[in-house]
Amino acid sequence: MRVIEPGYELIRPQSLSQQERQAILLQIEDAARTCYKSTAKNKSPEATAKFVASLVAAGHEAMIEHVHMSVRFTVDRGVSHEIVRHRIASYAQESTRYCSYDKEKFGSEITVVRPQAFEPGTEAFDVWKAACQEGERAYFHLLSLGVAPEYARDVLPTSLKTEIVVTMNLREWRHFFKLRAVGTTGKPHPQMRQVAAPLLEAMRAFLPEIFGDIG
């Protein structure tokens, strides 16, 4: 059994470059100006950024729905259940029906995400790890009996690692960050915030016009 930490990978935009940033802001500006058939008096990047910031400040967030962002999260199954509660999104998630962890490509072992509260060297960590190992043993035993992975998975722990690709428009990402990083409706789960907060910080630096007011 392998123990890992949670994380994320930005898929789209592929890089937080100035070129990517300007393309996003121009796409939003172009869509917004269609509403009024207006043209920009100043075509500079600074003017475009100011225009987009004014849209968000005025609550005209429909315009930022024209841009999408995709992120690959590596989290445990419990955290992934919170992520998929966001309705305006597309998901692709590692399937425990079709992934059989006894195969060589998985190292013939399960991978689990360490809960933030369980520090290595503590009794709590040892209890958690032993429980996960017991689940792994039961899982592999069931597979050896010819049980299909879609049934054998029922003994796997909530801490089981899963990868999930999430695509949302920028308006929905704003909603995601408010709930999962900041906690506007209640304190976020610590393990959810463990990936949502650093992602928000990265996006605030990249697109302050869109995310700078959150938190």
Side-chain angles (χ1 to χ4, degrees):
M1 184 184 79
R2 190 159 64 102
V3 180
I4 65 169
E5 299 295 317
Y8 72 85
E9 173 193 2
L10 194 60
I11 298 175
R12 189 178 65 180
Q14 293 181 332
S15 65
L16 301 185
S17 65
Q18 187 62 31
Q19 184 178 5
E20 291 271 16
R21 166 183 155 75
Q22 189 62 17
I24 290 170
L25 296 178
L26 283 171
Q27 186 176 346
I28 295 169
E29 180 181 26
D30 182 63
R33 289 194 180 281
T34 301
C35 300
Y36 310 105
K37 297 305 293 179
S38 66
T39 56
K41 295 179 181 178
N42 184 345
K43 289 287 189 179
S44 70
E46 293 77 16
T48 297
K50 185 177 179 180
F51 180 83
V52 173
S54 70
L55 291 174
V56 176
H60 198 15
E61 294 187 359
M63 296 303 99
I64 65 175
E65 292 178 10
H66 291 280
V67 177
H68 293 73
M69 184 173 82
S70 298
V71 177
R72 182 190 304 276
F73 289 104
T74 300
V75 292
D76 71 25
R77 280 274 160 179
V79 170
S80 76
H81 296 164
E82 294 193 10
I83 293 174
V84 299
R85 287 180 61 82
H86 290 264
R87 295 177 179 84
I88 308 173
S90 296
Y91 300 104
Q93 185 171 8
E94 180 178 339
S95 172
T96 50
R97 287 190 67 196
Y98 303 111
C99 293
S100 186
Y101 296 112
D102 61 338
K103 303 301 183 185
E104 186 176 343
K105 68 178 180 178
F106 298 107
S108 301
E109 63 182 351
I110 68 169
T111 299
V112 293
V113 176
R114 181 184 68 84
Q116 194 176 31
F118 300 157
E119 292 291 340
T122 65
E123 185 177 359
F125 176 86
D126 292 341
V127 170
W128 165 78
K129 185 176 180 180
C132 290
Q133 289 173 327
E134 183 56 38
E136 180 184 54
R137 281 191 290 270
Y139 173 75
F140 286 135
H141 190 184
L142 289 170
L143 292 177
S144 71
L145 295 174
V147 175
E150 63 185 16
Y151 291 113
R153 71 178 182 180
D154 287 348
V155 300
L156 291 173
T158 301
S159 292
L160 182 73
K161 181 272 291 182
T162 189
E163 293 181 19
I164 180 168
V165 173
V166 181
T167 301
M168 299 179 186
N169 65 57
L170 297 187
R171 186 180 195 177
E172 185 61 18
W173 277 112
R174 278 177 59 84
H175 182 234
F176 174 87
F177 289 135
K178 287 177 182 178
L179 268 60
R180 308 305 178 187
V182 179
T184 54
T185 60
K187 187 178 180 182
H189 191 288
Q191 286 174 252
M192 179 75 258
R193 195 172 187 279
Q194 202 172 357
V195 290
L199 178 57
L200 171 58
E201 288 305 309
M203 296 314 298
R204 285 179 65 177
F206 179 54
L207 289 171
E209 299 83 5
I210 307 296
F211 301 107
D213 64 322
I214 301 175

mmCIF file of all heavy atoms in Angstrom, residues 72-117:
data_model
loop_
_atom_site.group_PDB
_atom_site.id
_atom_site.type_symbol
_atom_site.label_atom_id
_atom_site.label_comp_id
_atom_site.label_asym_id
_atom_site.label_seq_id
_atom_site.Cartn_x
_atom_site.Cartn_y
_atom_site.Cartn_z
ATOM 1 N N ARG A 72 -6.866 18.730 -12.825
ATOM 2 C CA ARG A 72 -6.834 17.334 -12.371
ATOM 3 C C ARG A 72 -6.518 17.338 -10.875
ATOM 4 O O ARG A 72 -5.431 17.749 -10.468
ATOM 5 C CB ARG A 72 -5.771 16.536 -13.116
ATOM 6 C CG ARG A 72 -5.720 15.049 -12.710
ATOM 7 C CD ARG A 72 -4.487 14.357 -13.292
ATOM 8 N NE ARG A 72 -4.429 14.501 -14.731
ATOM 9 C CZ ARG A 72 -5.070 13.698 -15.601
ATOM 10 N NH1 ARG A 72 -5.800 12.697 -15.150
ATOM 11 N NH2 ARG A 72 -4.953 13.906 -16.896
ATOM 12 N N PHE A 73 -7.474 16.899 -10.071
ATOM 13 C CA PHE A 73 -7.264 16.779 -8.637
ATOM 14 C C PHE A 73 -6.862 15.342 -8.295
ATOM 15 O O PHE A 73 -7.423 14.391 -8.838
ATOM 16 C CB PHE A 73 -8.544 17.113 -7.864
ATOM 17 C CG PHE A 73 -8.925 18.566 -7.878
ATOM 18 C CD1 PHE A 73 -9.964 19.020 -8.680
ATOM 19 C CD2 PHE A 73 -8.253 19.492 -7.087
ATOM 20 C CE1 PHE A 73 -10.332 20.363 -8.700
ATOM 21 C CE2 PHE A 73 -8.608 20.827 -7.093
ATOM 22 C CZ PHE A 73 -9.646 21.269 -7.906
ATOM 23 N N THR A 74 -5.907 15.198 -7.384
ATOM 24 C CA THR A 74 -5.575 13.898 -6.809
ATOM 25 C C THR A 74 -5.932 13.980 -5.333
ATOM 26 O O THR A 74 -5.243 14.643 -4.548
ATOM 27 C CB THR A 74 -4.077 13.572 -6.990
ATOM 28 O OG1 THR A 74 -3.770 13.556 -8.380
ATOM 29 C CG2 THR A 74 -3.748 12.214 -6.391
ATOM 30 N N VAL A 75 -7.033 13.348 -4.983
ATOM 31 C CA VAL A 75 -7.598 13.455 -3.636
ATOM 32 C C VAL A 75 -8.136 12.092 -3.212
ATOM 33 O O VAL A 75 -8.054 11.121 -3.964
ATOM 34 C CB VAL A 75 -8.744 14.499 -3.605
ATOM 35 C CG1 VAL A 75 -8.212 15.904 -3.836
ATOM 36 C CG2 VAL A 75 -9.819 14.164 -4.643
ATOM 37 N N ASP A 76 -8.699 12.037 -2.009
ATOM 38 C CA ASP A 76 -9.331 10.780 -1.609
ATOM 39 C C ASP A 76 -10.787 10.772 -2.065
ATOM 40 O O ASP A 76 -11.328 11.775 -2.529
ATOM 41 C CB ASP A 76 -9.176 10.510 -0.110
ATOM 42 C CG ASP A 76 -10.004 11.432 0.771
ATOM 43 O OD1 ASP A 76 -11.036 11.962 0.333
ATOM 44 O OD2 ASP A 76 -9.609 11.616 1.948
ATOM 45 N N ARG A 77 -11.420 9.615 -1.946
ATOM 46 C CA ARG A 77 -12.788 9.456 -2.433
ATOM 47 C C ARG A 77 -13.770 10.378 -1.715
ATOM 48 O O ARG A 77 -14.707 10.889 -2.317
ATOM 49 C CB ARG A 77 -13.227 7.999 -2.274
ATOM 50 C CG ARG A 77 -12.704 7.093 -3.373
ATOM 51 C CD ARG A 77 -13.635 7.113 -4.564
ATOM 52 N NE ARG A 77 -12.968 6.650 -5.778
ATOM 53 C CZ ARG A 77 -13.576 6.564 -6.954
ATOM 54 N NH1 ARG A 77 -14.848 6.912 -7.084
ATOM 55 N NH2 ARG A 77 -12.925 6.156 -8.021
ATOM 56 N N GLY A 78 -13.559 10.612 -0.440
ATOM 57 C CA GLY A 78 -14.455 11.483 0.318
ATOM 58 C C GLY A 78 -14.436 12.900 -0.212
ATOM 59 O O GLY A 78 -15.488 13.534 -0.374
ATOM 60 N N VAL A 79 -13.248 13.420 -0.500
ATOM 61 C CA VAL A 79 -13.122 14.775 -1.038
ATOM 62 C C VAL A 79 -13.730 14.844 -2.439
ATOM 63 O O VAL A 79 -14.381 15.829 -2.797
ATOM 64 C CB VAL A 79 -11.645 15.220 -1.060
ATOM 65 C CG1 VAL A 79 -11.470 16.514 -1.839
ATOM 66 C CG2 VAL A 79 -11.137 15.401 0.371
ATOM 67 N N SER A 80 -13.536 13.802 -3.235
ATOM 68 C CA SER A 80 -14.098 13.821 -4.591
ATOM 69 C C SER A 80 -15.621 13.905 -4.560
ATOM 70 O O SER A 80 -16.235 14.472 -5.464
ATOM 71 C CB SER A 80 -13.661 12.574 -5.375
ATOM 72 O OG SER A 80 -14.376 11.417 -4.980
ATOM 73 N N HIS A 81 -16.238 13.369 -3.504
ATOM 74 C CA HIS A 81 -17.696 13.443 -3.384
ATOM 75 C C HIS A 81 -18.166 14.878 -3.181
ATOM 76 O O HIS A 81 -19.271 15.246 -3.576
ATOM 77 C CB HIS A 81 -18.181 12.564 -2.227
ATOM 78 C CG HIS A 81 -17.916 11.110 -2.437
ATOM 79 N ND1 HIS A 81 -17.967 10.174 -1.418
ATOM 80 C CD2 HIS A 81 -17.582 10.416 -3.555
ATOM 81 C CE1 HIS A 81 -17.680 8.972 -1.900
ATOM 82 N NE2 HIS A 81 -17.443 9.099 -3.188
ATOM 83 N N GLU A 82 -17.325 15.697 -2.550
ATOM 84 C CA GLU A 82 -17.666 17.112 -2.393
ATOM 85 C C GLU A 82 -17.499 17.855 -3.720
ATOM 86 O O GLU A 82 -18.296 18.730 -4.065
ATOM 87 C CB GLU A 82 -16.783 17.747 -1.321
ATOM 88 C CG GLU A 82 -17.028 17.210 0.083
ATOM 89 C CD GLU A 82 -16.377 18.077 1.153
ATOM 90 O OE1 GLU A 82 -15.908 19.183 0.824
ATOM 91 O OE2 GLU A 82 -16.346 17.644 2.310
ATOM 92 N N ILE A 83 -16.465 17.500 -4.461
ATOM 93 C CA ILE A 83 -16.196 18.175 -5.730
ATOM 94 C C ILE A 83 -17.354 17.976 -6.709
ATOM 95 O O ILE A 83 -17.812 18.926 -7.354
ATOM 96 C CB ILE A 83 -14.875 17.678 -6.341
ATOM 97 C CG1 ILE A 83 -13.683 18.110 -5.473
ATOM 98 C CG2 ILE A 83 -14.709 18.208 -7.775
ATOM 99 C CD1 ILE A 83 -12.347 17.547 -5.919
ATOM 100 N N VAL A 84 -17.844 16.750 -6.816
ATOM 101 C CA VAL A 84 -18.872 16.468 -7.833
ATOM 102 C C VAL A 84 -20.246 17.008 -7.469
ATOM 103 O O VAL A 84 -21.186 16.885 -8.251
ATOM 104 C CB VAL A 84 -18.969 14.958 -8.132
ATOM 105 C CG1 VAL A 84 -17.646 14.439 -8.668
ATOM 106 C CG2 VAL A 84 -19.381 14.160 -6.890
ATOM 107 N N ARG A 85 -20.372 17.627 -6.305
ATOM 108 C CA ARG A 85 -21.642 18.267 -5.958
ATOM 109 C C ARG A 85 -21.849 19.567 -6.755
ATOM 110 O O ARG A 85 -22.960 20.094 -6.792
ATOM 111 C CB ARG A 85 -21.698 18.564 -4.455
ATOM 112 C CG ARG A 85 -21.892 17.310 -3.602
ATOM 113 C CD ARG A 85 -21.931 17.650 -2.135
ATOM 114 N NE ARG A 85 -23.032 18.543 -1.798
ATOM 115 C CZ ARG A 85 -24.289 18.164 -1.583
ATOM 116 N NH1 ARG A 85 -24.625 16.887 -1.714
ATOM 117 N NH2 ARG A 85 -25.217 19.036 -1.250
ATOM 118 N N HIS A 86 -20.788 20.058 -7.377
ATOM 119 C CA HIS A 86 -20.920 21.257 -8.209
ATOM 120 C C HIS A 86 -21.554 20.851 -9.533
ATOM 121 O O HIS A 86 -20.980 20.082 -10.304
ATOM 122 C CB HIS A 86 -19.552 21.913 -8.396
ATOM 123 C CG HIS A 86 -19.041 22.529 -7.135
ATOM 124 N ND1 HIS A 86 -19.201 23.864 -6.829
ATOM 125 C CD2 HIS A 86 -18.410 21.976 -6.067
ATOM 126 C CE1 HIS A 86 -18.679 24.115 -5.647
ATOM 127 N NE2 HIS A 86 -18.192 22.986 -5.163
ATOM 128 N N ARG A 87 -22.710 21.384 -9.802
ATOM 129 C CA ARG A 87 -23.540 20.889 -10.893
ATOM 130 C C ARG A 87 -23.094 21.365 -12.269
ATOM 131 O O ARG A 87 -23.209 20.645 -13.251
ATOM 132 C CB ARG A 87 -24.998 21.300 -10.656
ATOM 133 C CG ARG A 87 -25.604 20.661 -9.419
ATOM 134 C CD ARG A 87 -27.023 21.165 -9.185
ATOM 135 N NE ARG A 87 -27.635 20.551 -8.018
ATOM 136 C CZ ARG A 87 -27.467 20.983 -6.770
ATOM 137 N NH1 ARG A 87 -26.716 22.038 -6.546
ATOM 138 N NH2 ARG A 87 -28.048 20.372 -5.762
ATOM 139 N N ILE A 88 -22.632 22.618 -12.372
ATOM 140 C CA ILE A 88 -22.282 23.165 -13.679
ATOM 141 C C ILE A 88 -20.820 22.852 -13.951
ATOM 142 O O ILE A 88 -19.933 23.701 -13.825
ATOM 143 C CB ILE A 88 -22.555 24.680 -13.731
ATOM 144 C CG1 ILE A 88 -23.978 24.976 -13.281
ATOM 145 C CG2 ILE A 88 -22.328 25.222 -15.137
ATOM 146 C CD1 ILE A 88 -24.290 26.447 -13.138
ATOM 147 N N ALA A 89 -20.575 21.606 -14.310
ATOM 148 C CA ALA A 89 -19.200 21.151 -14.504
ATOM 149 C C ALA A 89 -19.199 19.845 -15.282
ATOM 150 O O ALA A 89 -20.228 19.164 -15.392
ATOM 151 C CB ALA A 89 -18.517 20.951 -13.154
ATOM 152 N N SER A 90 -18.038 19.521 -15.817
ATOM 153 C CA SER A 90 -17.836 18.222 -16.460
ATOM 154 C C SER A 90 -16.755 17.480 -15.686
ATOM 155 O O SER A 90 -15.779 18.088 -15.232
ATOM 156 C CB SER A 90 -17.417 18.399 -17.917
ATOM 157 O OG SER A 90 -18.440 19.027 -18.662
ATOM 158 N N TYR A 91 -16.939 16.155 -15.546
ATOM 159 C CA TYR A 91 -16.023 15.362 -14.724
ATOM 160 C C TYR A 91 -15.554 14.110 -15.468
ATOM 161 O O TYR A 91 -16.300 13.528 -16.259
ATOM 162 C CB TYR A 91 -16.724 14.905 -13.437
ATOM 163 C CG TYR A 91 -17.223 16.027 -12.572
ATOM 164 C CD1 TYR A 91 -18.579 16.355 -12.532
ATOM 165 C CD2 TYR A 91 -16.347 16.780 -11.796
ATOM 166 C CE1 TYR A 91 -19.049 17.388 -11.732
ATOM 167 C CE2 TYR A 91 -16.803 17.816 -11.007
ATOM 168 C CZ TYR A 91 -18.158 18.111 -10.970
ATOM 169 O OH TYR A 91 -18.607 19.139 -10.186
ATOM 170 N N ALA A 92 -14.332 13.712 -15.181
ATOM 171 C CA ALA A 92 -13.803 12.417 -15.601
ATOM 172 C C ALA A 92 -13.033 11.884 -14.410
ATOM 173 O O ALA A 92 -12.047 12.493 -13.985
ATOM 174 C CB ALA A 92 -12.893 12.560 -16.820
ATOM 175 N N GLN A 93 -13.502 10.763 -13.845
ATOM 176 C CA GLN A 93 -12.921 10.266 -12.597
ATOM 177 C C GLN A 93 -12.432 8.837 -12.728
ATOM 178 O O GLN A 93 -13.046 8.005 -13.413
ATOM 179 C CB GLN A 93 -13.951 10.356 -11.462
ATOM 180 C CG GLN A 93 -13.381 9.974 -10.103
ATOM 181 C CD GLN A 93 -14.348 10.282 -8.964
ATOM 182 O OE1 GLN A 93 -15.501 10.639 -9.182
ATOM 183 N NE2 GLN A 93 -13.876 10.148 -7.742
ATOM 184 N N GLU A 94 -11.306 8.581 -12.079
ATOM 185 C CA GLU A 94 -10.756 7.230 -12.001
ATOM 186 C C GLU A 94 -11.829 6.267 -11.487
ATOM 187 O O GLU A 94 -12.421 6.497 -10.438
ATOM 188 C CB GLU A 94 -9.554 7.250 -11.055
ATOM 189 C CG GLU A 94 -8.856 5.931 -10.868
ATOM 190 C CD GLU A 94 -7.643 6.061 -9.958
ATOM 191 O OE1 GLU A 94 -7.121 7.191 -9.792
ATOM 192 O OE2 GLU A 94 -7.218 5.039 -9.406
ATOM 193 N N SER A 95 -12.067 5.208 -12.239
ATOM 194 C CA SER A 95 -13.179 4.306 -11.928
ATOM 195 C C SER A 95 -12.713 3.081 -11.154
ATOM 196 O O SER A 95 -11.841 2.334 -11.610
ATOM 197 C CB SER A 95 -13.853 3.853 -13.224
ATOM 198 O OG SER A 95 -14.800 2.839 -12.968
ATOM 199 N N THR A 96 -13.329 2.826 -10.015
ATOM 200 C CA THR A 96 -13.016 1.615 -9.244
ATOM 201 C C THR A 96 -13.750 0.397 -9.808
ATOM 202 O O THR A 96 -13.508 -0.727 -9.356
ATOM 203 C CB THR A 96 -13.383 1.794 -7.755
ATOM 204 O OG1 THR A 96 -14.721 2.277 -7.661
ATOM 205 C CG2 THR A 96 -12.430 2.769 -7.083
ATOM 206 N N ARG A 97 -14.626 0.629 -10.777
ATOM 207 C CA ARG A 97 -15.253 -0.502 -11.474
ATOM 208 C C ARG A 97 -14.281 -1.111 -12.478
ATOM 209 O O ARG A 97 -14.208 -2.332 -12.634
ATOM 210 C CB ARG A 97 -16.514 -0.067 -12.222
ATOM 211 C CG ARG A 97 -17.710 0.246 -11.349
ATOM 212 C CD ARG A 97 -18.954 0.428 -12.225
ATOM 213 N NE ARG A 97 -19.328 -0.832 -12.845
ATOM 214 C CZ ARG A 97 -20.172 -0.932 -13.880
ATOM 215 N NH1 ARG A 97 -20.685 0.156 -14.426
ATOM 216 N NH2 ARG A 97 -20.488 -2.107 -14.382
ATOM 217 N N TYR A 98 -13.570 -0.256 -13.172
ATOM 218 C CA TYR A 98 -12.728 -0.704 -14.282
ATOM 219 C C TYR A 98 -11.236 -0.707 -13.962
ATOM 220 O O TYR A 98 -10.451 -1.273 -14.729
ATOM 221 C CB TYR A 98 -13.008 0.164 -15.514
ATOM 222 C CG TYR A 98 -14.466 0.124 -15.910
ATOM 223 C CD1 TYR A 98 -15.283 1.241 -15.765
ATOM 224 C CD2 TYR A 98 -15.044 -1.054 -16.389
ATOM 225 C CE1 TYR A 98 -16.628 1.193 -16.102
ATOM 226 C CE2 TYR A 98 -16.391 -1.106 -16.720
ATOM 227 C CZ TYR A 98 -17.174 0.030 -16.581
ATOM 228 O OH TYR A 98 -18.510 -0.043 -16.906
ATOM 229 N N CYS A 99 -10.841 -0.094 -12.869
ATOM 230 C CA CYS A 99 -9.449 -0.141 -12.419
ATOM 231 C C CYS A 99 -9.321 -1.248 -11.380
ATOM 232 O O CYS A 99 -9.935 -1.183 -10.315
ATOM 233 C CB CYS A 99 -9.029 1.197 -11.806
ATOM 234 S SG CYS A 99 -8.962 2.551 -12.990
ATOM 235 N N SER A 100 -8.546 -2.256 -11.719
ATOM 236 C CA SER A 100 -8.300 -3.363 -10.788
ATOM 237 C C SER A 100 -6.892 -3.182 -10.233
ATOM 238 O O SER A 100 -5.902 -3.325 -10.956
ATOM 239 C CB SER A 100 -8.438 -4.702 -11.504
ATOM 240 O OG SER A 100 -8.330 -5.778 -10.597
ATOM 241 N N TYR A 101 -6.808 -2.860 -8.939
ATOM 242 C CA TYR A 101 -5.526 -2.428 -8.360
ATOM 243 C C TYR A 101 -4.536 -3.559 -8.114
ATOM 244 O O TYR A 101 -3.419 -3.310 -7.646
ATOM 245 C CB TYR A 101 -5.784 -1.636 -7.082
ATOM 246 C CG TYR A 101 -6.545 -0.359 -7.371
ATOM 247 C CD1 TYR A 101 -7.857 -0.179 -6.938
ATOM 248 C CD2 TYR A 101 -5.970 0.659 -8.126
ATOM 249 C CE1 TYR A 101 -8.575 0.974 -7.234
ATOM 250 C CE2 TYR A 101 -6.666 1.818 -8.434
ATOM 251 C CZ TYR A 101 -7.970 1.969 -7.986
ATOM 252 O OH TYR A 101 -8.665 3.103 -8.304
ATOM 253 N N ASP A 102 -4.923 -4.781 -8.482
ATOM 254 C CA ASP A 102 -3.963 -5.885 -8.397
ATOM 255 C C ASP A 102 -3.087 -5.946 -9.650
ATOM 256 O O ASP A 102 -2.138 -6.725 -9.706
ATOM 257 C CB ASP A 102 -4.675 -7.217 -8.190
ATOM 258 C CG ASP A 102 -5.619 -7.566 -9.344
ATOM 259 O OD1 ASP A 102 -6.050 -6.641 -10.071
ATOM 260 O OD2 ASP A 102 -5.951 -8.753 -9.501
ATOM 261 N N LYS A 103 -3.387 -5.096 -10.623
ATOM 262 C CA LYS A 103 -2.625 -5.100 -11.873
ATOM 263 C C LYS A 103 -1.275 -4.405 -11.691
ATOM 264 O O LYS A 103 -1.107 -3.520 -10.857
ATOM 265 C CB LYS A 103 -3.409 -4.415 -12.985
ATOM 266 C CG LYS A 103 -4.787 -5.017 -13.246
ATOM 267 C CD LYS A 103 -4.704 -6.491 -13.632
ATOM 268 C CE LYS A 103 -6.092 -7.051 -13.952
ATOM 269 N NZ LYS A 103 -6.047 -8.512 -14.225
ATOM 270 N N GLU A 104 -0.326 -4.774 -12.558
ATOM 271 C CA GLU A 104 1.034 -4.255 -12.453
ATOM 272 C C GLU A 104 1.089 -2.741 -12.657
ATOM 273 O O GLU A 104 1.907 -2.048 -12.039
ATOM 274 C CB GLU A 104 1.929 -4.947 -13.485
ATOM 275 C CG GLU A 104 3.401 -4.581 -13.361
ATOM 276 C CD GLU A 104 4.261 -5.363 -14.341
ATOM 277 O OE1 GLU A 104 3.784 -6.383 -14.877
ATOM 278 O OE2 GLU A 104 5.413 -4.937 -14.567
ATOM 279 N N LYS A 105 0.205 -2.201 -13.518
ATOM 280 C CA LYS A 105 0.262 -0.764 -13.788
ATOM 281 C C LYS A 105 -0.097 0.074 -12.564
ATOM 282 O O LYS A 105 0.186 1.266 -12.514
ATOM 283 C CB LYS A 105 -0.646 -0.391 -14.958
ATOM 284 C CG LYS A 105 -2.136 -0.531 -14.718
ATOM 285 C CD LYS A 105 -2.906 -0.064 -15.955
ATOM 286 C CE LYS A 105 -4.397 -0.171 -15.767
ATOM 287 N NZ LYS A 105 -5.139 0.323 -16.961
ATOM 288 N N PHE A 106 -0.719 -0.564 -11.560
ATOM 289 C CA PHE A 106 -1.004 0.112 -10.299
ATOM 290 C C PHE A 106 -0.012 -0.283 -9.219
ATOM 291 O O PHE A 106 -0.194 0.057 -8.042
ATOM 292 C CB PHE A 106 -2.426 -0.210 -9.830
ATOM 293 C CG PHE A 106 -3.489 0.249 -10.784
ATOM 294 C CD1 PHE A 106 -4.194 -0.657 -11.553
ATOM 295 C CD2 PHE A 106 -3.786 1.605 -10.916
ATOM 296 C CE1 PHE A 106 -5.173 -0.232 -12.439
ATOM 297 C CE2 PHE A 106 -4.760 2.033 -11.806
ATOM 298 C CZ PHE A 106 -5.457 1.115 -12.574
ATOM 299 N N GLY A 107 1.027 -1.029 -9.622
ATOM 300 C CA GLY A 107 2.010 -1.495 -8.651
ATOM 301 C C GLY A 107 1.503 -2.635 -7.802
ATOM 302 O O GLY A 107 2.097 -2.967 -6.773
ATOM 303 N N SER A 108 0.391 -3.234 -8.229
ATOM 304 C CA SER A 108 -0.248 -4.337 -7.477
ATOM 305 C C SER A 108 -0.505 -3.933 -6.028
ATOM 306 O O SER A 108 -0.285 -4.713 -5.091
ATOM 307 C CB SER A 108 0.623 -5.603 -7.535
ATOM 308 O OG SER A 108 0.828 -5.998 -8.881
ATOM 309 N N GLU A 109 -0.963 -2.698 -5.852
ATOM 310 C CA GLU A 109 -1.274 -2.187 -4.524
ATOM 311 C C GLU A 109 -2.276 -1.050 -4.646
ATOM 312 O O GLU A 109 -2.469 -0.494 -5.731
ATOM 313 C CB GLU A 109 -0.007 -1.677 -3.833
ATOM 314 C CG GLU A 109 0.646 -0.496 -4.541
ATOM 315 C CD GLU A 109 1.928 -0.025 -3.878
ATOM 316 O OE1 GLU A 109 2.229 -0.493 -2.765
ATOM 317 O OE2 GLU A 109 2.623 0.819 -4.480
ATOM 318 N N ILE A 110 -2.940 -0.731 -3.547
ATOM 319 C CA ILE A 110 -3.792 0.438 -3.559
ATOM 320 C C ILE A 110 -2.974 1.652 -3.110
ATOM 321 O O ILE A 110 -1.940 1.508 -2.456
ATOM 322 C CB ILE A 110 -5.046 0.276 -2.670
ATOM 323 C CG1 ILE A 110 -4.661 0.227 -1.182
ATOM 324 C CG2 ILE A 110 -5.846 -0.957 -3.072
ATOM 325 C CD1 ILE A 110 -5.864 0.330 -0.231
ATOM 326 N N THR A 111 -3.440 2.821 -3.486
ATOM 327 C CA THR A 111 -2.825 4.071 -3.052
ATOM 328 C C THR A 111 -3.845 4.849 -2.245
ATOM 329 O O THR A 111 -5.008 4.971 -2.660
ATOM 330 C CB THR A 111 -2.363 4.906 -4.264
ATOM 331 O OG1 THR A 111 -1.384 4.166 -5.001
ATOM 332 C CG2 THR A 111 -1.768 6.227 -3.819
ATOM 333 N N VAL A 112 -3.430 5.349 -1.100
ATOM 334 C CA VAL A 112 -4.334 6.106 -0.236
ATOM 335 C C VAL A 112 -3.751 7.491 0.024
ATOM 336 O O VAL A 112 -2.541 7.688 -0.040
ATOM 337 C CB VAL A 112 -4.588 5.372 1.103
ATOM 338 C CG1 VAL A 112 -5.355 4.084 0.880
ATOM 339 C CG2 VAL A 112 -3.283 5.105 1.837
ATOM 340 N N VAL A 113 -4.643 8.432 0.298
ATOM 341 C CA VAL A 113 -4.240 9.809 0.598
ATOM 342 C C VAL A 113 -4.254 9.992 2.107
ATOM 343 O O VAL A 113 -5.260 9.712 2.776
ATOM 344 C CB VAL A 113 -5.198 10.819 -0.057
ATOM 345 C CG1 VAL A 113 -4.834 12.252 0.335
ATOM 346 C CG2 VAL A 113 -5.173 10.674 -1.579
ATOM 347 N N ARG A 114 -3.136 10.462 2.647
ATOM 348 C CA ARG A 114 -3.040 10.635 4.098
ATOM 349 C C ARG A 114 -3.961 11.757 4.574
ATOM 350 O O ARG A 114 -3.868 12.882 4.088
ATOM 351 C CB ARG A 114 -1.601 10.977 4.510
ATOM 352 C CG ARG A 114 -1.418 11.153 6.016
ATOM 353 C CD ARG A 114 -0.007 11.576 6.371
ATOM 354 N NE ARG A 114 0.322 12.919 5.917
ATOM 355 C CZ ARG A 114 0.013 14.021 6.621
ATOM 356 N NH1 ARG A 114 -0.627 13.938 7.773
ATOM 357 N NH2 ARG A 114 0.344 15.212 6.154
ATOM 358 N N PRO A 115 -4.850 11.462 5.522
ATOM 359 C CA PRO A 115 -5.665 12.521 6.108
ATOM 360 C C PRO A 115 -4.783 13.547 6.815
ATOM 361 O O PRO A 115 -3.830 13.182 7.511
ATOM 362 C CB PRO A 115 -6.552 11.777 7.109
ATOM 363 C CG PRO A 115 -6.591 10.377 6.613
ATOM 364 C CD PRO A 115 -5.232 10.139 6.033
ATOM 365 N N GLN A 116 -5.088 14.805 6.643
ATOM 366 C CA GLN A 116 -4.262 15.882 7.181
ATOM 367 C C GLN A 116 -4.098 15.783 8.700
ATOM 368 O O GLN A 116 -3.059 16.162 9.248
ATOM 369 C CB GLN A 116 -4.898 17.219 6.806
ATOM 370 C CG GLN A 116 -4.004 18.427 6.996
ATOM 371 C CD GLN A 116 -4.665 19.697 6.505
ATOM 372 O OE1 GLN A 116 -5.887 19.831 6.561
ATOM 373 N NE2 GLN A 116 -3.881 20.640 6.026
ATOM 374 N N ALA A 117 -5.103 15.235 9.378
ATOM 375 C CA ALA A 117 -5.080 15.182 10.847
ATOM 376 C C ALA A 117 -4.194 14.072 11.392
ATOM 377 O O ALA A 117 -3.870 14.070 12.587
ATOM 378 C CB ALA A 117 -6.505 15.002 11.374
#
